[in-house]
Amino acid sequence: MTYKGYTASLEIDLEAGIIFGRVLDINDVVTFKGKTVEEARQEFQKSVDDYLAFCEDLGEEPDKPFSGKLPFRTTPERHRKIFLAASKAGKSINAWMDEVLSSAADKVINTNF
């Protein structure tokens, strides 16, 4: 589930009969629970809204799931290959990597297991 740029993971507790979850990819802890999928979705959205309001009340920036910056290390040989491929495509290394990695991610995400 996603809401306002935040993503949640869900787990089912069969013994308690609840669905519980937490917001992923932030340092702060934001959790929620519900008895149905719809209730869990509503509680997730309420928890995100409460978190954002709490941060605003404190005058602090809320933790963001992703900054848009992706540190990347590789070998000199692969760096050269990436440079050549980007140049051949008429793009900067950053633009080329963004396109290639996004395409690869879409392929993996959309693969049925």
Side-chain angles (χ1 to χ4, degrees), residues 49-80:
D49 289 338
D50 289 348
Y51 169 67
L52 296 173
F54 178 71
C55 290
E56 186 176 336
D57 289 346
L58 292 177
E60 296 180 4
E61 282 293 314
D63 200 2
K64 299 284 185 193
F66 300 98
S67 67
K69 297 176 185 175
L70 184 65
F72 181 78
R73 301 275 186 258
T74 191
T75 65
E77 295 80 19
R78 287 183 179 162
H79 189 169
R80 182 176 185 282

Side-chain angles (χ1 to χ4, degrees), residues 2-7 44-45 48-50 52 64-65:
T2 59
Y3 178 68
K4 293 187 177 180
Y6 293 89
T7 301
F44 163 56
Q45 293 174 354
V48 169
D49 289 338
D50 289 348
L52 296 173
K64 299 284 185 193

Side-chain angles (χ1 to χ4, degrees), residues 101-113:
L101 291 174
S102 181
S103 177
D106 286 343
K107 185 177 178 181
V108 170
I109 290 168
N110 295 320
T111 299
N112 294 329
F113 292 99

Side-chain angles (χ1 to χ4, degrees), residues 14-111:
L14 293 174
E15 289 181 22
I18 61 168
I19 300 168
F20 64 95
R22 69 186 284 283
V23 175
L24 299 173
D25 304 317
I26 62 173
N27 292 321
D28 296 322
V29 177
V30 179
T31 61
F32 57 92
K33 66 181 178 180
K35 291 189 180 264
T36 65
V37 172
E38 185 54 36
E39 187 177 315
R41 181 186 324 278
Q42 290 171 0
E43 290 300 315
F44 163 56
Q45 293 174 354
K46 183 178 180 294
S47 291
V48 169
D49 289 338
D50 289 348
Y51 169 67
L52 296 173
F54 178 71
C55 290
E56 186 176 336
D57 289 346
L58 292 177
E60 296 180 4
E61 282 293 314
D63 200 2
K64 299 284 185 193
F66 300 98
S67 67
K69 297 176 185 175
L70 184 65
F72 181 78
R73 301 275 186 258
T74 191
T75 65
E77 295 80 19
R78 287 183 179 162
H79 189 169
R80 182 176 185 282
K81 283 183 184 179
I82 292 166
F83 169 77
L84 292 172
S87 295
K88 190 170 182 177
K91 298 180 178 187
S92 68
I93 289 176
N94 196 60
W96 183 83
M97 286 178 59
D98 185 57
E99 182 180 299
V100 169
L101 291 174
S102 181
S103 177
D106 286 343
K107 185 177 178 181
V108 170
I109 290 168
N110 295 320
T111 299

